[in-house]
Amino acid sequence: MHGYGPTPQQQTTSRPSPATLTTVRVILVTVTVLSCGLLGWVAMLRLAIVTRRPRDWVLLVVVMVLNAALFAFIVSTPDDPDDMSDASVLLMLLWIVALLAGVITYYLYVEIRHYSSLRSLGSPAPYTATAPVHPTPLPYQQHPAHQHQHQQPQQHHQQPQPNPYTVQTPPPTPTPAPQRLDQVRAELDELSDYLRKENREGEGR
C-alpha cells in the first residue's frame, strides 16, 4: 500500500551480484590467457549472450576464425622449436599477443559498461509523498457600502490632531558677523599712513 505520488519502480530484470560478475570475469580472463588466446571465443560468446547486439555476434565469429587459424598455424609448425624460422616465431607471438589483448580488453570494457548502464536505468526514483491539495476558502467579500463605512473612520484617524500643549521654539537669532574685516582694514590704513610719512621724510632730506 502506497501513499500519494508515484509508486516506486520494480526491477523487471534480475542482475547477478557484483561478486558473481567479478568471479566470472576472472575465470574467463584466466582461461583466455592460459590457452594463449585459443579459448578467447568463450569470453566473446558470453559477451554476445549478455549484450545481444549484432556487433558482438559478428566479433565472436571473427575471434573464432582467428582462433582456428592460429590453431592450424601452431599444428603446422615443426615439433622442434629449433627448426622454426625466426619469422614464424615472431608471427606466432604477435598473433597470440594481439588476440589476447584484443579479446580481454574488449570483453571487460563492454561487459562492465553494459551492467553499469543497466544499474543506472533500473535504480528506482526517489519516493516523494505529496500531500492532498485542499481548496482554500475565498476571503469574505464585503459590500461596497460596508467597505466605505469602514474606510471613513480610518481616514479620520489618519489626520494628525494639533497638540495645544506643544510649545513652539523661536527661530535661532543670527549671530553677528565677526569684526575681523574692520580690524584688518584699520591696520592697512595705519600701514599706508606710515609709508607716506616715511616717503615725505626721505624727500625732505
Side-chain angles (χ1 to χ4, degrees), residues 14-29 32 39-53 56-57 59-60 63-64 103 106-108 110-112 114-115 118:
S14 59
R15 296 188 303 272
S17 62
T20 303
L21 291 175
T22 303
T23 304
V24 172
R25 291 166 188 167
V26 170
I27 292 174
L28 292 178
V29 170
T32 304
L39 296 179
W41 61 270
V42 179
M44 296 301 298
L45 177 61
R46 168 177 166 75
L47 184 63
I49 295 173
V50 169
T51 60
R52 299 178 182 179
R53 293 187 302 183
D56 295 333
W57 288 104
L59 291 177
L60 170 62
V63 171
M64 292 179 67
V103 170
Y106 184 79
Y107 163 69
L108 293 177
V110 175
E111 189 181 67
I112 293 173
H114 173 73
Y115 282 109
L118 288 180

Coordinates of all heavy atoms in Angstrom, one line a residue, residues 14-29 32 39-53 56-57 59-60 63-64 103 106-108 110-112 114-115 118:
S14 N 16.5 -9.4 -13.3 CA 17.4 -9.8 -12.2 C 18.8 -9.8 -12.8 O 19.1 -10.4 -13.8 CB 17.0 -11.1 -11.7 OG 17.1 -12.1 -12.7
R15 N 19.7 -9.1 -12.1 CA 21.1 -9.0 -12.5 C 21.9 -9.7 -11.5 O 21.6 -9.8 -10.3 CB 21.5 -7.5 -12.5 CG 20.8 -6.7 -13.6 CD 21.5 -5.3 -13.7 NE 21.5 -4.7 -12.4 CZ 20.5 -3.9 -12.0 NH1 19.5 -3.7 -12.7 NH2 20.6 -3.3 -10.8
P16 N 23.0 -10.4 -11.9 CA 23.8 -11.1 -10.9 C 24.5 -10.1 -10.0 O 24.7 -8.9 -10.3 CB 24.8 -11.8 -11.8 CG 24.8 -11.1 -13.1 CD 23.4 -10.6 -13.3
S17 N 25.0 -10.6 -8.9 CA 25.6 -9.7 -7.9 C 27.0 -9.3 -8.4 O 27.6 -10.0 -9.3 CB 25.7 -10.5 -6.6 OG 26.5 -11.6 -6.7
P18 N 27.6 -8.2 -7.9 CA 28.9 -7.8 -8.3 C 30.0 -8.9 -8.0 O 30.9 -9.1 -8.8 CB 29.2 -6.6 -7.5 CG 27.8 -6.0 -7.2 CD 26.9 -7.2 -7.0
A19 N 29.8 -9.7 -6.9 CA 30.8 -10.7 -6.7 C 30.7 -11.8 -7.7 O 31.8 -12.3 -8.2 CB 30.5 -11.3 -5.3
T20 N 29.5 -12.2 -8.2 CA 29.4 -13.2 -9.2 C 30.0 -12.7 -10.5 O 30.7 -13.4 -11.2 CB 27.9 -13.5 -9.4 OG1 27.4 -14.0 -8.2 CG2 27.7 -14.6 -10.4
L21 N 29.7 -11.5 -10.9 CA 30.3 -10.9 -12.1 C 31.8 -10.9 -12.1 O 32.5 -11.2 -13.1 CB 29.7 -9.5 -12.3 CG 28.3 -9.4 -12.7 CD1 27.8 -7.9 -12.8 CD2 28.0 -10.1 -14.0
T22 N 32.4 -10.5 -10.9 CA 33.8 -10.5 -10.8 C 34.4 -11.9 -10.9 O 35.5 -12.1 -11.6 CB 34.2 -9.8 -9.5 OG1 33.6 -8.5 -9.4 CG2 35.7 -9.7 -9.4
T23 N 33.8 -12.8 -10.3 CA 34.3 -14.2 -10.4 C 34.2 -14.7 -11.9 O 35.2 -15.4 -12.3 CB 33.4 -15.1 -9.5 OG1 33.5 -14.6 -8.2 CG2 34.0 -16.5 -9.5
V24 N 33.2 -14.5 -12.6 CA 33.0 -14.9 -14.0 C 34.1 -14.2 -14.8 O 34.7 -14.9 -15.7 CB 31.6 -14.6 -14.5 CG1 31.5 -14.9 -16.0 CG2 30.6 -15.5 -13.7
R25 N 34.3 -13.0 -14.6 CA 35.3 -12.3 -15.4 C 36.7 -12.8 -15.2 O 37.5 -13.0 -16.1 CB 35.3 -10.8 -15.1 CG 34.0 -10.1 -15.6 CD 33.8 -8.7 -15.0 NE 32.5 -8.2 -15.4 CZ 32.0 -7.1 -14.7 NH1 32.6 -6.5 -13.8 NH2 30.8 -6.7 -15.1
V26 N 37.0 -13.1 -13.9 CA 38.4 -13.6 -13.6 C 38.6 -15.0 -14.2 O 39.6 -15.3 -14.8 CB 38.6 -13.7 -12.1 CG1 39.8 -14.4 -11.7 CG2 38.6 -12.3 -11.5
I27 N 37.5 -15.8 -14.2 CA 37.7 -17.1 -14.8 C 37.9 -17.1 -16.3 O 38.7 -17.7 -16.9 CB 36.4 -18.0 -14.5 CG1 36.4 -18.3 -12.9 CG2 36.4 -19.3 -15.3 CD1 35.1 -19.0 -12.5
L28 N 37.1 -16.2 -17.0 CA 37.2 -16.1 -18.4 C 38.5 -15.5 -18.9 O 39.1 -16.0 -19.9 CB 36.0 -15.3 -19.0 CG 34.6 -15.9 -18.9 CD1 33.6 -15.0 -19.4 CD2 34.6 -17.3 -19.6
V29 N 39.0 -14.5 -18.1 CA 40.3 -13.9 -18.5 C 41.4 -15.0 -18.3 O 42.4 -15.1 -19.1 CB 40.5 -12.7 -17.7 CG1 42.0 -12.2 -17.8 CG2 39.5 -11.6 -18.1
T32 N 41.4 -17.6 -21.0 CA 41.9 -17.0 -22.3 C 43.4 -16.9 -22.3 O 44.1 -17.2 -23.3 CB 41.3 -15.6 -22.5 OG1 39.9 -15.7 -22.5 CG2 41.7 -15.0 -23.9
L39 N 41.1 -20.0 -26.5 CA 39.8 -20.1 -26.0 C 39.2 -18.7 -25.7 O 38.3 -18.5 -24.9 CB 39.8 -20.9 -24.6 CG 40.2 -22.4 -24.8 CD1 40.2 -23.0 -23.4 CD2 39.2 -23.1 -25.7
G40 N 39.7 -17.7 -26.5 CA 39.2 -16.4 -26.3 C 37.7 -16.3 -26.8 O 37.0 -15.4 -26.4
W41 N 37.3 -17.2 -27.7 CA 35.9 -17.2 -28.1 C 34.9 -17.4 -27.0 O 33.7 -17.1 -27.1 CB 35.7 -18.2 -29.2 CG 36.0 -19.6 -28.8 CD1 37.2 -20.3 -28.8 CD2 35.0 -20.5 -28.3 NE1 37.1 -21.6 -28.3 CE2 35.7 -21.7 -28.0 CE3 33.7 -20.5 -28.0 CZ2 35.1 -22.9 -27.4 CZ3 33.1 -21.6 -27.4 CH2 33.7 -22.8 -27.2
V42 N 35.4 -18.1 -25.9 CA 34.4 -18.3 -24.8 C 34.0 -17.0 -24.2 O 32.8 -16.8 -23.9 CB 35.1 -19.2 -23.8 CG1 34.2 -19.5 -22.6 CG2 35.5 -20.5 -24.4
A43 N 34.9 -16.1 -23.9 CA 34.6 -14.8 -23.4 C 33.7 -14.0 -24.3 O 32.8 -13.3 -23.9 CB 35.9 -14.0 -23.0
M44 N 34.0 -14.1 -25.6 CA 33.2 -13.4 -26.6 C 31.8 -13.9 -26.7 O 30.8 -13.2 -27.0 CB 33.9 -13.4 -28.0 CG 35.3 -12.7 -28.0 SD 35.1 -10.9 -27.5 CE 34.1 -10.3 -28.8
L45 N 31.7 -15.3 -26.5 CA 30.4 -15.9 -26.6 C 29.5 -15.4 -25.4 O 28.3 -15.1 -25.6 CB 30.5 -17.4 -26.5 CG 29.2 -18.2 -26.5 CD1 28.4 -17.9 -27.7 CD2 29.5 -19.7 -26.3
R46 N 30.1 -15.3 -24.2 CA 29.4 -14.8 -23.1 C 29.0 -13.3 -23.3 O 27.8 -12.9 -23.0 CB 30.2 -14.9 -21.8 CG 29.5 -14.1 -20.6 CD 30.3 -14.3 -19.3 NE 29.8 -13.3 -18.4 CZ 28.7 -13.3 -17.7 NH1 27.8 -14.3 -17.9 NH2 28.4 -12.3 -16.9
L47 N 29.8 -12.6 -23.9 CA 29.5 -11.1 -24.1 C 28.4 -11.0 -25.1 O 27.5 -10.2 -24.9 CB 30.8 -10.4 -24.6 CG 30.7 -8.9 -24.8 CD1 30.4 -8.2 -23.5 CD2 31.9 -8.4 -25.5
A48 N 28.4 -11.8 -26.1 CA 27.3 -11.7 -27.1 C 26.0 -12.1 -26.5 O 24.9 -11.6 -26.8 CB 27.7 -12.6 -28.3
I49 N 26.0 -13.1 -25.6 CA 24.8 -13.6 -25.0 C 24.2 -12.5 -24.0 O 23.0 -12.3 -23.9 CB 25.0 -14.9 -24.3 CG1 25.3 -16.0 -25.3 CG2 23.8 -15.3 -23.4 CD1 25.7 -17.3 -24.6
V50 N 25.1 -11.8 -23.3 CA 24.7 -10.8 -22.4 C 24.2 -9.6 -23.1 O 23.1 -9.0 -22.7 CB 25.9 -10.5 -21.4 CG1 25.6 -9.2 -20.6 CG2 26.3 -11.6 -20.5
T51 N 24.9 -9.0 -24.0 CA 24.5 -7.8 -24.7 C 23.5 -8.0 -25.8 O 22.6 -7.1 -26.0 CB 25.7 -7.1 -25.3 OG1 26.3 -7.9 -26.3 CG2 26.8 -6.8 -24.2
R52 N 23.5 -9.1 -26.5 CA 22.6 -9.4 -27.5 C 22.6 -8.4 -28.7 O 21.6 -8.0 -29.3 CB 21.1 -9.5 -27.0 CG 21.0 -10.6 -26.0 CD 19.5 -10.6 -25.4 NE 19.4 -11.7 -24.4 CZ 18.2 -11.9 -23.7 NH1 17.2 -11.1 -24.0 NH2 18.2 -12.8 -22.8
R53 N 23.8 -7.9 -28.9 CA 24.0 -7.0 -30.0 C 24.6 -7.7 -31.2 O 25.4 -8.5 -31.1 CB 24.9 -5.8 -29.6 CG 24.3 -4.9 -28.5 CD 25.1 -3.7 -28.2 NE 26.5 -4.1 -27.8 CZ 27.4 -3.2 -27.5 NH1 27.0 -1.9 -27.5 NH2 28.6 -3.5 -27.1
D56 N 28.5 -7.7 -31.5 CA 29.2 -8.7 -30.6 C 29.1 -10.1 -31.2 O 30.1 -10.9 -31.1 CB 28.6 -8.7 -29.2 CG 28.9 -7.3 -28.5 OD1 29.9 -6.7 -28.9 OD2 28.1 -7.0 -27.6
W57 N 28.0 -10.4 -31.9 CA 28.0 -11.7 -32.5 C 28.9 -11.8 -33.7 O 29.6 -12.8 -34.0 CB 26.5 -12.0 -33.0 CG 25.6 -12.3 -31.9 CD1 24.6 -11.5 -31.4 CD2 25.5 -13.5 -31.1 NE1 24.0 -12.1 -30.3 CE2 24.5 -13.4 -30.2 CE3 26.2 -14.7 -31.2 CZ2 24.1 -14.4 -29.3 CZ3 25.8 -15.8 -30.3 CH2 24.8 -15.6 -29.4
L59 N 31.7 -10.1 -34.0 CA 33.1 -10.2 -33.4 C 33.4 -11.6 -32.8 O 34.5 -12.1 -32.9 CB 33.3 -9.2 -32.3 CG 33.3 -7.7 -32.7 CD1 33.4 -6.8 -31.5 CD2 34.5 -7.5 -33.7
L60 N 32.3 -12.3 -32.4 CA 32.5 -13.6 -31.9 C 32.9 -14.5 -33.1 O 33.8 -15.4 -32.9 CB 31.2 -14.2 -31.3 CG 31.1 -15.7 -31.0 CD1 32.2 -16.0 -30.0 CD2 29.7 -16.0 -30.5
V63 N 36.6 -13.8 -33.9 CA 37.5 -14.4 -33.0 C 37.6 -15.9 -33.2 O 38.7 -16.5 -33.1 CB 37.1 -14.0 -31.6 CG1 38.0 -14.8 -30.5 CG2 37.3 -12.5 -31.3
M64 N 36.5 -16.5 -33.4 CA 36.6 -18.0 -33.7 C 37.4 -18.3 -34.9 O 38.1 -19.3 -34.9 CB 35.1 -18.5 -33.8 CG 34.3 -18.4 -32.5 SD 32.6 -19.1 -32.7 CE 32.9 -20.8 -33.0
V103 N 40.8 -9.4 -27.1 CA 39.7 -10.1 -26.6 C 39.5 -9.7 -25.1 O 38.3 -9.4 -24.7 CB 39.9 -11.7 -26.7 CG1 38.8 -12.4 -25.8 CG2 39.8 -12.1 -28.1
Y106 N 38.4 -5.8 -24.9 CA 37.0 -5.5 -25.4 C 36.0 -6.2 -24.5 O 34.9 -5.6 -24.2 CB 36.9 -6.1 -26.8 CG 35.6 -5.8 -27.4 CD1 35.3 -4.5 -27.9 CD2 34.6 -6.7 -27.5 CE1 34.0 -4.2 -28.5 CE2 33.3 -6.5 -28.1 CZ 33.1 -5.2 -28.6 OH 31.9 -4.9 -29.1
Y107 N 36.2 -7.4 -24.0 CA 35.3 -8.2 -23.2 C 35.0 -7.4 -21.9 O 33.9 -7.2 -21.5 CB 35.8 -9.6 -23.0 CG 35.1 -10.2 -21.8 CD1 33.7 -10.6 -21.9 CD2 35.7 -10.5 -20.6 CE1 33.1 -11.2 -20.8 CE2 35.1 -11.1 -19.5 CZ 33.7 -11.5 -19.7 OH 33.1 -12.0 -18.6
L108 N 36.1 -7.0 -21.2 CA 35.9 -6.4 -19.9 C 35.3 -5.0 -20.1 O 34.4 -4.6 -19.3 CB 37.3 -6.2 -19.2 CG 37.9 -7.5 -18.8 CD1 39.3 -7.3 -18.2 CD2 37.1 -8.3 -17.8
V110 N 33.3 -3.8 -22.5 CA 31.8 -3.8 -22.9 C 31.0 -4.4 -21.8 O 29.9 -3.8 -21.6 CB 31.7 -4.5 -24.3 CG1 30.2 -4.7 -24.6 CG2 32.5 -3.8 -25.3
E111 N 31.4 -5.4 -21.2 CA 30.5 -6.0 -20.1 C 30.4 -5.1 -18.9 O 29.3 -4.9 -18.4 CB 31.1 -7.4 -19.7 CG 30.1 -8.1 -18.8 CD 30.7 -9.4 -18.4 OE1 31.7 -9.4 -17.6 OE2 30.2 -10.5 -18.8
I112 N 31.4 -4.5 -18.5 CA 31.3 -3.5 -17.4 C 30.4 -2.4 -17.7 O 29.6 -1.9 -16.9 CB 32.7 -3.1 -16.9 CG1 33.5 -4.2 -16.3 CG2 32.6 -1.9 -15.9 CD1 35.0 -3.9 -16.1
H114 N 28.0 -2.4 -19.9 CA 26.7 -2.9 -20.1 C 26.0 -3.0 -18.7 O 24.8 -2.5 -18.6 CB 26.7 -4.2 -20.8 CG 25.4 -4.9 -20.8 ND1 24.4 -4.5 -21.7 CD2 24.9 -6.0 -20.2 CE1 23.3 -5.3 -21.5 NE2 23.6 -6.2 -20.6
Y115 N 26.6 -3.6 -17.8 CA 26.0 -3.7 -16.4 C 25.9 -2.4 -15.7 O 24.9 -2.2 -14.9 CB 26.7 -4.7 -15.6 CG 26.4 -6.1 -16.0 CD1 27.3 -7.0 -16.6 CD2 25.1 -6.7 -15.7 CE1 27.0 -8.3 -17.0 CE2 24.8 -8.0 -16.0 CZ 25.8 -8.8 -16.7 OH 25.5 -10.1 -17.1
L118 N 22.7 -0.8 -17.1 CA 21.5 -1.4 -16.5 C 21.3 -1.0 -15.1 O 20.1 -0.8 -14.7 CB 21.7 -3.0 -16.6 CG 21.6 -3.6 -18.0 CD1 21.8 -5.1 -17.9 CD2 20.3 -3.3 -18.7

